[in-house]
Amino acid sequence: MILRGAGGVAARRPRGPEGSVRRMRGTHGWWRTAVVYQVYIRSFCDSDGDGLGDVDGIRGRLGYLRDLGVDALWVNPWYPSPQADGGYDVADYRDIGPTFGTLEAAKALIAEAHALGLRVLLDVVPNHTSVAHAWFREALASPPGSTARDRYVFRPGRGAGEAPNDWRSVFGGPAWREVPGADGEPGEWYLHLFAPEQPDLNWRNPEVTAEMLDVLRFWFDLGVDGFRIDVAHGLVKHEDLPDLGRDDEVLMGGPGDEDHPHWDRPEVHEIFRGWRALADAYDPPRVFVAEAWVPTSDRLAQYLRPDELHSAFDFTFIRAPWRAAALREAIERSLSAHARVGAPVTWTLSNHDVVRHATRLGRLDADPATALTALGGPTDLARGRRRARAAALLLLALPGAVYLYQGEELGLEEVEDLPDALRQDPVFVRSGGAVAGRDGCRVPLPWTRSGPSLGFGPSRGWLPQPTSWSGRSVEAQEADPDSMLHLYRRAIRLRQAHMTGLDSELQWLELGDDVLAFRTTPGVTLVLNTSAAAVPLPPGDLLLASGVVDGAALPPDTAAWLTSP
Ligand code: GLC
């Protein structure tokens, strides 16, 4: 592998507006302070005009990611899949879906990214396969009690069409589906915590453990730098599959759910110790970032003990209200829980599962938990974008790693008025349209001001873009020095240049309840004003601000970076 020190590759990188050369991270520990860009492949860039993004589309835009200044990209599932859940229903873990490209194209992408100093993370989906996976087809063709069925969670029903237990699917409805028995006998049921097309694997079966390690090895051997782990907290189920006793369709247990029968079971940690040992056996070591929806920072930190995973998304900002005091409390809680296990925090504002934060932050009087998934509430997009700019500066000043979701650097909003007929999220389909689902944050990116899909591809994309996205396109924002895109570029470059020692503690400044302010080591002060009135800035030279700073006054919903005196 290629990324070693600040060698030739780094030297070829373009100089940023501040005149700094972007630093190439060392081989070890790069992930502790990385800025990673999430590529939702279906919607990033379509090279062949089938309306879906693809591997060659990503290859054509690597220069954009380099210029943005990120360290790595995380590509959402690109495997062969019937696409019952946007590719999170994997039919073959060792290949690329034909709509996305070929294995050869994927290898070329990895090499080209590395040559530009970008690392590549993939998405592994270990909790469930697709019903189209060879194992599941074999399981259906095999009798109850067979080895093939034991790779999944098959159980007899409780009689008269009643499922084995009361668990609910995260996507709505029961978490079990019945399959026909032989010769008119009652059939067994299989567990699916998500869509019925996503049968859960049985992680108590050693064959499953071995197979998934081998899948990781396959991609690591191709040079992939690491994996985002889908539903990491869900792999192991309670041995007795006891009733939950409530009608619960959420992605995690609640506070006090120390013994949830299928979320965050203690047994998952042993699996990840095995994964870490494999990743550490590579040179350079490969890395993991977990999607683990657990109720508290302390529970999350357990996934990050030294012999377990490197990192896990901290969903603080996805759940916290926009108030300085609340943000500070959440940040402190996350930092101290992670410090206890020596892990960096992995901050994020958005991903492909939640309402885009330009919309969320503009919601009027919304409870942040509801704002996460609920659509259609009143929102003030100008305010949302102003806050989103400020939030970007907050995030990028924090110690730890930052994950950006494609399009947030353009300030894209949630598309809330997609026609029902075009919606593909199983959440929408399974709720009979009652829940709009996640398509609105997955609308194809606008690259140019015009064209059938604003430069996403040569034809229309799989979802239509709002016409106003012409003005939010990369082309339009390139031309505007005050655009969100330029703010992100400057902030990322400044972070790389001045804040590489970020994996350390914060020094809080007390500037009032509505002002979040801290000093990082070394030398940068962040000030964020969440009040409705301007506040005075502390001493220091202004490095960057998310809005117009007049004299020494920081306007509402604005953040600034200052040199620390
Ligand atoms: C994760 C993914 C989400 C998917 C689900 C089931 O939460 O981020 O998109 O639907 O897992 O795989």
Side-chain angles (χ1 to χ4, degrees), residues 85 88 128 171 194 198 228 230-231 251 291 352-353 438 442:
D85 179 23
Y88 283 94
H128 42 264
F171 292 159
F194 294 88
Q198 295 167 297
R228 177 259 190 191
D230 190 59
V231 200
L251 198 49
E291 180 211 30
H352 63 292
D353 290 329
R438 302 161 294 175
R442 300 173 176 182

Coordinates of all heavy atoms in Angstrom, one line a residue, residues 85 88 128 171 194 198 228 230-231 251 291 352-353 438 442, ligand 1:
D85 N -33.4 -2.7 0.1 CA -33.1 -1.7 1.1 C -31.9 -0.9 0.7 O -30.9 -0.9 1.4 CB -33.0 -2.3 2.5 CG -32.7 -1.3 3.5 OD1 -33.0 -0.1 3.3 OD2 -32.1 -1.6 4.6
Y88 N -28.5 -2.6 1.2 CA -28.3 -3.2 2.5 C -28.9 -4.6 2.6 O -29.1 -5.2 3.7 CB -28.7 -2.3 3.7 CG -27.8 -1.2 3.9 CD1 -28.0 0.0 3.3 CD2 -26.6 -1.4 4.7 CE1 -27.1 1.1 3.5 CE2 -25.7 -0.3 4.9 CZ -25.9 0.9 4.3 OH -25.0 1.9 4.5
H128 N -27.5 -9.2 8.4 CA -28.4 -9.9 7.6 C -27.9 -10.0 6.2 O -27.1 -9.2 5.8 CB -29.8 -9.2 7.6 CG -29.6 -7.7 7.5 ND1 -29.6 -6.9 8.6 CD2 -29.4 -6.9 6.4 CE1 -29.4 -5.6 8.2 NE2 -29.3 -5.6 6.9
F171 N -38.4 -1.7 10.4 CA -39.1 -1.0 9.3 C -40.6 -1.1 9.4 O -41.3 -0.8 8.4 CB -38.6 -1.6 7.9 CG -37.2 -1.3 7.6 CD1 -36.5 -2.1 6.6 CD2 -36.6 -0.2 8.1 CE1 -35.2 -1.8 6.3 CE2 -35.3 0.1 7.7 CZ -34.6 -0.7 6.8
F194 N -35.0 -6.2 10.0 CA -35.3 -5.1 9.0 C -36.4 -5.7 8.0 O -37.3 -6.3 8.5 CB -34.0 -4.6 8.4 CG -33.1 -4.0 9.4 CD1 -32.2 -4.7 10.2 CD2 -33.2 -2.6 9.7 CE1 -31.4 -4.1 11.2 CE2 -32.5 -2.0 10.7 CZ -31.6 -2.8 11.4
Q198 N -34.4 -9.2 4.2 CA -33.1 -9.1 4.9 C -33.1 -10.1 6.1 O -33.2 -9.7 7.2 CB -32.9 -7.7 5.4 CG -32.7 -6.7 4.2 CD -32.8 -5.2 4.7 OE1 -33.9 -4.8 5.3 NE2 -31.8 -4.5 4.6
R228 N -17.0 0.4 7.4 CA -18.1 0.8 8.3 C -19.0 -0.4 8.5 O -19.3 -1.2 7.6 CB -18.9 1.9 7.6 CG -20.1 2.5 8.3 CD -21.4 1.9 7.8 NE -22.6 2.5 8.3 CZ -23.8 2.1 8.2 NH1 -24.0 1.0 7.5 NH2 -24.8 2.7 8.7
D230 N -22.4 -2.1 9.5 CA -23.8 -1.8 9.5 C -24.4 -2.5 10.8 O -24.1 -3.7 11.0 CB -24.4 -2.3 8.3 CG -25.9 -1.9 8.1 OD1 -26.1 -0.7 8.1 OD2 -26.8 -2.8 8.0
V231 N -25.3 -1.8 11.5 CA -26.0 -2.4 12.6 C -25.1 -3.3 13.5 O -25.4 -4.4 13.9 CB -27.2 -3.2 12.2 CG1 -28.2 -3.4 13.3 CG2 -27.9 -2.6 11.0
L251 N -34.4 1.4 16.4 CA -33.1 0.9 16.1 C -32.2 0.7 17.3 O -31.1 0.3 17.2 CB -32.4 1.8 15.1 CG -31.2 1.3 14.3 CD1 -31.6 0.0 13.6 CD2 -30.8 2.4 13.3
E291 N -21.6 1.4 13.1 CA -22.9 2.0 13.3 C -23.5 1.3 14.5 O -23.9 0.1 14.3 CB -23.7 1.9 12.1 CG -25.1 2.5 12.3 CD -26.2 1.9 11.6 OE1 -26.2 0.7 11.3 OE2 -27.2 2.6 11.2
H352 N -27.2 8.8 5.4 CA -28.3 8.4 4.5 C -29.6 7.9 5.2 O -30.5 7.5 4.5 CB -27.7 7.3 3.5 CG -27.4 6.1 4.3 ND1 -26.4 6.0 5.2 CD2 -28.0 4.9 4.3 CE1 -26.3 4.8 5.7 NE2 -27.3 4.1 5.2
D353 N -29.6 7.9 6.5 CA -30.8 7.4 7.2 C -31.6 8.5 7.9 O -32.6 8.2 8.4 CB -30.3 6.4 8.3 CG -29.8 5.1 7.7 OD1 -30.3 4.7 6.6 OD2 -28.9 4.5 8.3
R438 N -36.6 7.5 4.0 CA -35.3 8.1 3.9 C -35.0 8.5 2.4 O -33.8 8.9 2.2 CB -34.3 7.2 4.5 CG -34.6 6.8 5.9 CD -33.8 5.6 6.3 NE -34.3 4.4 5.6 CZ -33.8 3.2 5.7 NH1 -32.7 3.0 6.5 NH2 -34.3 2.2 5.0
R442 N -31.6 11.1 0.0 CA -30.8 10.3 -0.9 C -30.9 10.7 -2.4 O -30.6 10.0 -3.3 CB -31.3 8.8 -0.8 CG -31.1 8.3 0.6 CD -31.7 6.9 0.7 NE -31.4 6.4 2.1 CZ -31.8 5.2 2.5 NH1 -32.5 4.4 1.7 NH2 -31.5 4.8 3.7
Ligands
GLC1 C1 -28.4 0.6 8.8 C2 -28.2 1.4 7.5 C3 -29.6 1.5 6.9 C4 -30.2 0.2 6.6 C5 -30.2 -0.7 7.9 C6 -30.4 -2.1 7.6 O1 -29.1 1.3 9.7 O2 -27.6 2.6 7.7 O3 -29.6 2.3 5.7 O4 -31.5 0.3 6.2 O5 -29.0 -0.6 8.5 O6 -29.3 -2.7 6.9

